[in-house]
Amino acid sequence: KAGVTQTPRYLIKTRGQQVTLSCSPISGHRSVSWYQQTPGQGLQFLFEYFSETQRNKGNFPGRFSGRQFSNSRSEMNVSTLELGDSALYLCASSPGLAGGPGTDTQYFGPGTRLTVL
Amino acid sequence: SQELEQSPQSLIVQEGKNLTINCTSSKTLYGLYWYKQKYGEGLIFLMMLQKGGEEKSHEKITAKLDEKKQQSSLHITASQPSHAGIYLCGAVRTPSGSARQLTFGSGTQLTVLP
């Protein structure tokens, strides 16, 4: 099976602009989660989508939003970009199985490196 | 303080040496994942531990979970340059929680000198 793909891989924007990142999960996976990784804060959970619905959300401002399509592909959007939004944005997919820990391993994509100038 | 503390933050070893990376949680662990990351790239799943005392191995990497201590360790035997990278532990925070919302440690940067 093909892995998780993310586009674009690199992006440069200026403050105040908005950006949309795309994630295609592993075939058959219905859950897509997004994470932000920065040198200062490390890897932080943004949100999770399952069957086109946001199921979990991390502690990020409303400028960060996402959506999921019927084919499980997901996009995340960041509006009014700030310098601090420069980061590696990682997407992870999993089958989305119900159950306790260990039932639903996440597999990560290569990430999109966003630089805000 | 961090919910998940990894130690050491960085490690430089000679090829062939054994090494251990630790991940300690300040909150209850309901599952612990280990991932490896090459700088600036995505995470590669290594293994998942769920029960106290559980130990798993894959090739030369062994991970253990000490539920009482809320700690996990990752041990690499006879390290190779291919083991170099950033090792991250990710915790499941609720008993009914899944792997879809993980809290990660800050990572351990491993360098293996040939």
Side-chain angles (χ1 to χ4, degrees):
Chain A
K1 280 185 180 179
V4 179
T5 58
Q6 292 186 245
T7 56
R9 291 293 312 277
Y10 302 91
L11 207 47
I12 299 174
K13 293 286 187 178
T14 56
R15 279 183 301 174
Q17 287 187 310
Q18 75 166 20
V19 67
T20 299
L21 311 181
S22 181
C23 172
S24 292
I26 292 171
S27 177
H29 284 191
R30 298 170 64 191
S31 171
V32 173
S33 294
W34 289 88
Y35 291 82
Q36 181 197 64
Q37 187 176 35
T38 60
Q41 298 299 317
L43 197 56
Q44 293 184 290
F45 173 78
L46 279 158
F47 31 65
E48 182 224 350
Y49 284 87
F50 178 82
S51 292
E52 302 178 63
T53 302
Q54 187 180 89
R55 192 157 58 172
N56 290 299
K57 190 177 189 304
N59 189 25
F60 278 82
R63 299 185 297 107
F64 291 82
S65 63
R67 60 177 176 169
Q68 187 180 34
F69 301 96
S70 58
N71 61 358
S72 294
R73 191 177 68 86
S74 177
E75 290 181 346
M76 70 161 281
N77 184 275
V78 188
S79 62
T80 320
L81 284 166
E82 299 177 359
L83 295 178
D85 296 333
S86 294
L88 180 67
Y89 289 89
L90 292 162
C91 161
S93 80
S94 67
L97 301 171
T103 62
D104 207 21
T105 298
Q106 285 187 316
Y107 296 91
F108 283 77
T112 294
R113 170 75 63 188
L114 172 64
T115 301
V116 182
L117 302 176
Chain B
S1 63
Q2 293 284 340
E3 285 187 28
L4 275 182
E5 293 276 357
Q6 283 189 239
S7 61
Q9 286 187 325
S10 65
L11 194 53
I12 301 174
V13 300
Q14 204 71 38
E15 182 177 359
K17 295 294 186 183
N18 302 336
L19 62 104
T20 299
I21 298 168
N22 293 302
C23 175
T24 303
S25 175
S26 61
K27 297 182 179 181
T28 303
L29 284 173
Y30 294 100
L32 195 289
Y33 286 75
W34 283 100
Y35 287 88
K36 177 187 172 185
Q37 183 180 31
K38 290 286 191 181
Y39 181 75
E41 298 180 8
L43 278 63
I44 300 167
F45 171 72
L46 295 175
M47 56 193 83
M48 186 271 173
L49 304 165
Q50 188 174 342
K51 299 174 184 177
E54 187 173 15
E55 179 176 322
K56 288 187 178 178
S57 294
H58 177 66
E59 298 180 343
K60 294 184 178 181
I61 301 176
T62 300
K64 299 179 186 180
L65 179 64
D66 186 330
E67 201 171 55
K68 287 183 180 178
K69 292 183 180 178
Q70 297 183 164
Q71 183 179 64
S72 178
S73 61
L74 186 83
H75 184 77
I76 298 177
T77 305
S79 58
Q80 301 169 354
S82 61
H83 287 127
I86 301 169
Y87 288 81
L88 291 148
C89 59
V92 179
R93 286 299 184 203
T94 61
S96 60
S98 70
R100 298 185 291 270
Q101 181 175 357
L102 295 174
T103 300
F104 282 93
S106 55
T108 295
Q109 173 80 57
L110 172 63
T111 303
V112 181
L113 301 175

